[in-house]
Amino acid sequence: MIGLLRRAAVRSALVAAVVVLFGFGTAEAHPHVWVTSTSELVYAPDGSFTGVRHAWAFDDMFSTYALQGIETKEKGVYSREELAPLAQTNVESLKEFAYFTFAKVGGKKQKFSEPVDYYLSYKDNVLTLHFFLPLKTPVKSNELSVEVFDPSYFIDFSFAEKNPVSLVGAPSGCTLNFQRPTDGSATAQRMSEDNFLNGDNSNYGAMFANKIAVTCP
């Protein structure tokens, strides 16, 4: 798959690492990086939605590869400071993919600014990227929807089993509904390699979207 990915994906720091790691030459309609997410939808005191705070835990294989070449004071222990350059590379590479986070307020698409307060942590052989993704313009609305997924399905996003999504500072009476993606594995198997290579996969990952909906009084 890797050698035939769109050029934008190859430029990504996340994808580029996997290109080297796997070096496949044919395309397949399944992911090569797995991320487990916990996310918070953050509100300001005036009740406006301000952005999403993500914590993305990478699979152990990708974590191991991403850490290669990083010098540390203590073997096997990575401080936030030692991981800072890698964290910066990761968040900068996410911009061209819209941070894999898609929000609508009142049915209208919202735009995010660049991530802030970002850092990497390492625990139990897992590398986790933490960052806050602010809306360019905070907005008030009775209805909010957020989806997290990779349109190309190169990266698989799943959410933690315990406390996957939460509201922070939301107005009283707001309710949260979280929907995990349905099982699209059968469809993925039926999807031909020709269709995948011809670009019909441009939004294939949408069927694996994690959907968050908030309704407020």
Side-chain angles (χ1 to χ4, degrees), residues 1 28-34 152-157:
M1 171 180 186
E28 301 172 40
H30 63 75
H32 293 288
V33 179
W34 288 263
S152 71
Y153 200 45
F154 187 88
I155 301 172
D156 176 84
F157 286 91

Side-chain angles (χ1 to χ4, degrees), residues 47-178:
S48 59
F49 172 60
T50 62
V52 184
R53 182 176 292 114
H54 285 306
W56 289 350
F58 297 100
D59 64 88
D60 54 359
M61 182 177 294
F62 179 83
S63 296
T64 299
Y65 183 82
L67 292 171
Q68 289 185 7
I70 296 179
E71 296 183 0
T72 61
K73 294 181 180 178
E74 183 179 349
K75 185 177 180 180
V77 178
Y78 298 85
S79 68
R80 185 181 299 190
E81 292 73 21
E82 290 166 337
L83 293 172
L86 180 60
Q88 181 177 352
T89 298
N90 280 338
V91 296
E92 289 177 351
S93 73
L94 292 173
K95 183 176 182 179
E96 61 183 307
F97 305 107
Y99 309 103
F100 303 113
T101 304
F102 309 91
K104 290 184 179 181
V105 173
K108 183 178 179 180
K109 292 182 179 179
Q110 302 297 303
K111 293 183 178 181
F112 290 102
S113 297
E114 295 181 359
V116 296
D117 301 331
Y118 58 82
Y119 66 95
L120 279 167
S121 62
Y122 182 72
K123 182 180 180 180
D124 298 330
N125 300 319
V126 172
L127 195 63
T128 302
L129 177 65
H130 308 258
F131 63 97
F132 179 66
L133 190 60
L135 279 186
K136 285 191 173 181
T137 305
V139 61
K140 290 184 179 180
S141 177
N142 294 334
E143 295 182 356
L144 162 69
S145 65
V146 177
E147 296 187 354
V148 178
F149 67 97
D150 176 8
S152 71
Y153 200 45
F154 187 88
I155 301 172
D156 176 84
F157 286 91
S158 62
F159 272 69
E161 290 298 326
K162 184 177 181 181
N163 300 323
V165 185
S166 58
L167 302 179
V168 176
S172 177
C174 290
T175 59
L176 170 68
N177 179 268
F178 173 60

